[in-house]
């Protein structure tokens, strides 16, 4: 992919509008961070925060971005000297700025050994990840490692690693062997207790690899796994995204991303090798990200999933269009006020109801075309922490979880594969075959669907699946959705 005078890159920076130029120039800041998962969210979130931090306080914290699978973004960024733009989509119009936080890019599938060497490099003191929930290969209910032949081969043979856990563990072992110094592994994915889960993943992988205890202890002693909470709505890039960037910059950016104005990053401050001054970018440094994580997972991600499933069933293409469905905003408010807010202790000084109102305002931003089908992906991985944890905590306290049951019912209705108008709905989920098999083996009634999918232990823990009140609520909502559709169900919701 050749760079032209019409393409974003170092040679065209001087032609950009002053307000759109990057804070950092690639090549001037040495790499101190490796990031696994070079997707749109990282480029619009961690890269932006890191550039702002280094721009304000300095430091050798350039990011080497690693794409585990796709070559498209690596090729685009390599041709642009690792530069890309972020367009902020505010209701009053877009603004576009180029980001220069990347010190380089790599493609893990093409040269995994090079990525292992990078992870072992003493200059790298932070490794961040946005690889989606499924890439961790952890059971979303139990956090146990899901072992398959690919992962087993990564951990028990000398072949180049092909999985994210395999890359991490090979890198940590190589780092320990080379005395590469301490490193922080930082999950920025929507996993409950993501820091503890990442630590558990590494420990389970070392055990599976049958690494001698002394070697495993040495590798683990040099590693911390700070918990985080990340928040910014970043829709998938489209031709419209790239057209907007071109109009603003005057050059073509094939790695352009767009995002809402809001951005939040909460980080547990446990970095033995140092870190960028992320607090200078607006990040919150804390001793415990747990309350922030639960706030976001339940009051934002759970509401996002509810909007996506109900919206997709009703034929809404985007989250903003779904939120405009009659009565949906009222139902979502009741979900937040009556169930999410009482289900956990929020961070000090945070009002969950007010946070929920802010979430709905963000979802309603007409400039953000976040597709309902994109949000609906990987429901088996997302629903446990976004919705089922709320249900479990409410039921443990003897409270009803009726509105959360509507979200579960909407997901079950989505699994059946067709919208209210009969159009097919795709099932993009790592457990797709398991779920289809369960549905095919069960009775083709609302109660039968509940029986079949509630028996999938990778999603529903046994005690929750056996809760008669939860089953009755989900069955009731699913019956209404099947008979009457989303609009009538919402209109009659009480």
């Amino acid at each position: 992919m050749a760079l032209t005078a019409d393409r974003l890159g170092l040679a065209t920076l001087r032609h950009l509008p002053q307000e759109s130029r990057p804070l950092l120039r690639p090549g001037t800041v040495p790499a101190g961070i490796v990031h696994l998962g070079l997707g749109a969210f990282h480029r619009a979130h961690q890269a932006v925060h890191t550039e702002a931090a280094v721009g304000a306080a300095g430091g050798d914290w350039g990011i080497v971005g690693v794409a585990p699978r796709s070559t498209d973004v690596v090729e685009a960024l390599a041709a642009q000297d690792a530069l890309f733009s972020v367009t902020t989509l505010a209701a009053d119009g877009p603004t576009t700025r180029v980001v220069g936080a990347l010190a380089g890019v790599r493609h893990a599938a093409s040269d995994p050994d090079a990525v292992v060497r990078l992870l072992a490099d003493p200059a790298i003191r932070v490794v961040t990840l946005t690889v989606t929930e499924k890439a961790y290969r952890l059971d979303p209910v139990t956090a146990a490692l899901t072992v398959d032949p690919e992962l087993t081969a990564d951990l028990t043979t000398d072949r180049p690693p092909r999985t994210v856990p395999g890359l991490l563990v090979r890198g940590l072992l190589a780092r320990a062997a080379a005395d590469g110094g301490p490193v922080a592994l930082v999950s920025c994915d929507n996993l409950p207790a993501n820091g503890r889960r990442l630590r558990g993943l590494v420990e389970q992988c070392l055990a599976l690899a049958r690494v001698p205890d002394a070697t495993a202890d040495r590798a683990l002693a040099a590693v911390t796994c700070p918990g985080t909470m990340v928040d910014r709505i970043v829709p998938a890039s489209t031709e419209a995204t790239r057209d907007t960037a071109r109009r603003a910059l005057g050059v073509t950016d094939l790695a352009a991303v767009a995002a809402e104005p809001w951005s939040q990053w909460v980080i547990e401050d446990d970095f033995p090798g140092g870190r960028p001054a992320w607090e200078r970018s607006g990040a919150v440094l804390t001793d415990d990200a747990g309350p922030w994580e639960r706030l976001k997972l339940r009051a934002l991600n759970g509401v996002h999933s509810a909007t996506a499933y109900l919206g997709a069933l009703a034929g809404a293409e985007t989250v903003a269009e779904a939120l405009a469905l009659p009565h949906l905003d009222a139902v979502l408010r009741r979900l937040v006020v009556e169930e999410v807010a009482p289900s956990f202790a929020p961070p000090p000084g945070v009002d969950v109801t007010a946070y929920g109102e802010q979430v709905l305002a963000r979802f309603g931003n007409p400039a953000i075309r976040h597709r309902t089908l994109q949000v609906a992906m990987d429901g088996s991985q997302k629903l446990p922490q976004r919705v089922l944890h709320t249900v479990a905590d409410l039921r443990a306290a003897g409270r009803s979880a009726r509105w959360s049951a509507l979200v579960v019912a909407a997901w079950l209705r989505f699994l059946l594969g067709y919208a209210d108008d009969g159009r097919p709905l795709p099932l993009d989920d790592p457990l797709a075959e398991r779920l289809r098999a369960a549905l095919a083996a069960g009775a083709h009634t609302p109660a039968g669907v509940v029986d079949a999918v509630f028996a999938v232990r990778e999603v529903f823990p046994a005690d929750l699946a056996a809760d008669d009140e939860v089953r009755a609520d989900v069955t009731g909502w699913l019956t209404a959705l099947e008979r009457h559709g989303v609009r009538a169900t919402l209109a009659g919701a009480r």
Side-chain angles (χ1 to χ4, degrees):
M1 194 180 295
L3 180 65
T4 70
D6 191 41
R7 185 77 175 274
L8 178 62
L10 291 175
T12 56
L13 281 181
R14 67 183 183 277
H15 301 303
L16 301 183
Q18 189 68 40
E19 66 275 12
S20 296
R21 295 179 186 179
L23 301 177
L24 305 177
R25 184 181 177 90
T28 63
V29 179
I33 300 172
V34 166
H35 182 82
L36 301 180
L38 197 49
F41 184 81
H42 166 68
R43 304 202 304 279
H45 190 274
Q46 296 92 34
V48 171
H49 277 276
T50 300
E51 185 188 49
V54 176
D60 51 348
W61 295 111
I63 302 170
V64 179
V66 178
R69 297 287 182 190
S70 173
T71 60
D72 293 348
V73 69
V74 173
E75 291 172 355
L77 287 166
Q80 296 177 181
D81 303 312
L83 292 166
F84 63 92
S85 65
V86 178
T87 295
T88 300
L89 299 172
D92 58 355
T95 58
T96 302
R97 191 176 67 78
V98 173
V99 177
L102 294 178
V105 292
R106 301 285 188 277
H107 183 238
S110 300
D111 195 353
D113 289 336
V115 177
V116 170
R117 291 193 295 272
L118 190 61
L119 294 171
D121 187 340
I124 301 301
R125 288 96 74 205
V126 175
V127 177
T128 52
L129 300 91
T130 52
V131 292
T132 75
E133 295 93 334
K134 60 188 174 185
Y136 291 84
R137 297 173 184 247
L138 294 173
D139 185 296
V141 175
T142 67
L145 192 64
T146 301
V147 180
D148 58 23
E150 187 105 311
L151 180 58
T152 300
D154 275 3
L155 299 175
T156 60
T157 73
D158 292 331
R159 75 156 202 199
R162 299 176 186 171
T163 66
V164 169
L167 282 170
L168 281 177
V169 170
R170 293 279 193 96
L172 291 177
L173 290 172
R175 189 180 188 91
D179 197 18
V183 64
L185 305 183
V186 188
S187 171
C188 299
D189 286 296
N190 287 320
L191 298 171
N194 56 12
R196 290 197 296 277
R197 291 216 171 188
L198 181 53
R199 179 84 180 189
L201 177 149
V202 172
E203 292 172 349
Q204 292 178 75
C205 285
L206 289 171
L208 181 63
R210 297 178 182 172
V211 173
D213 289 346
T215 303
D217 290 346
R218 185 179 180 194
L220 288 169
V223 174
T224 63
C225 296
T228 67
M229 183 275 274
V230 297
D231 186 7
R232 194 175 197 187
I233 297 173
V234 183
S237 295
T238 64
E239 280 303 316
T241 309
R242 292 180 279 275
D243 288 346
T244 299
R246 181 175 178 80
R247 286 195 297 272
L249 302 175
V251 294
T252 297
D253 174 13
L254 293 185
V257 296
E260 67 169 334
W262 173 268
S263 182
Q264 188 174 44
W265 196 4
V266 179
I267 314 165
E268 291 176 353
D269 199 359
D270 188 11
F271 291 83
R275 60 166 176 80
W278 281 314
E279 66 275 12
R280 299 287 294 273
S281 74
V284 175
L285 278 298
T286 181
D287 293 331
D288 181 11
W292 294 94
E293 169 205 287
R294 287 185 286 278
L295 174 71
K296 194 247 183 167
L297 283 170
R298 299 184 187 197
L300 186 143
N301 295 122
V303 173
H304 215 197
S305 289
T307 308
Y309 291 121
L310 291 165
L313 292 170
E317 181 183 356
T318 69
V319 169
E321 291 170 7
L323 197 61
L325 291 170
H327 310 291
L328 180 56
D329 58 344
V331 166
L332 295 176
R333 284 186 173 90
R334 295 193 69 174
L335 170 65
V336 171
V337 173
E338 297 176 20
E339 295 183 10
V340 172
S343 73
F344 74 108
V350 174
D351 182 309
V352 178
T353 299
Y355 180 89
E357 288 295 325
Q358 182 184 57
V359 163
L360 293 179
R362 291 166 59 192
F363 288 174
N365 181 349
I368 297 291
R369 294 191 57 79
H370 208 176
R371 295 171 59 245
T372 53
L373 293 180
Q374 181 189 2
V375 181
M377 291 170 55
D378 303 334
S380 69
Q381 311 297 295
K382 295 174 178 177
L383 225 67
Q385 55 261 27
R386 294 184 176 199
V387 179
L388 300 185
H389 288 178
T390 298
V391 175
D393 287 343
L394 289 170
R395 298 298 296 138
R399 300 180 65 108
S400 168
R402 188 163 180 271
W403 299 110
S404 299
L406 171 59
V407 187
V408 178
W411 178 60
L412 298 183
R413 175 67 183 76
F414 184 89
L415 294 181
L416 296 178
Y418 54 90
D420 289 348
D421 62 3
R423 283 183 293 179
L425 294 172
L427 179 55
D428 191 339
D429 192 291
L431 293 184
E433 293 309 312
R434 174 90 168 84
L435 293 165
R436 288 192 183 104
L439 289 168
H444 296 174
T445 64
V449 170
V450 171
D451 287 343
V453 181
F454 271 43
V456 177
R457 286 292 164 266
E458 295 93 330
V459 182
F460 293 92
D463 56 346
L464 188 61
D467 188 312
D468 290 338
E469 182 175 321
V470 173
R471 296 177 75 93
D473 284 342
V474 174
T475 302
W477 285 119
L478 183 57
T479 300
L481 291 170
E482 274 281 86
R483 289 180 179 172
H484 309 300
V486 168
R487 286 175 174 81
T489 298
L490 294 175
R494 297 289 184 271

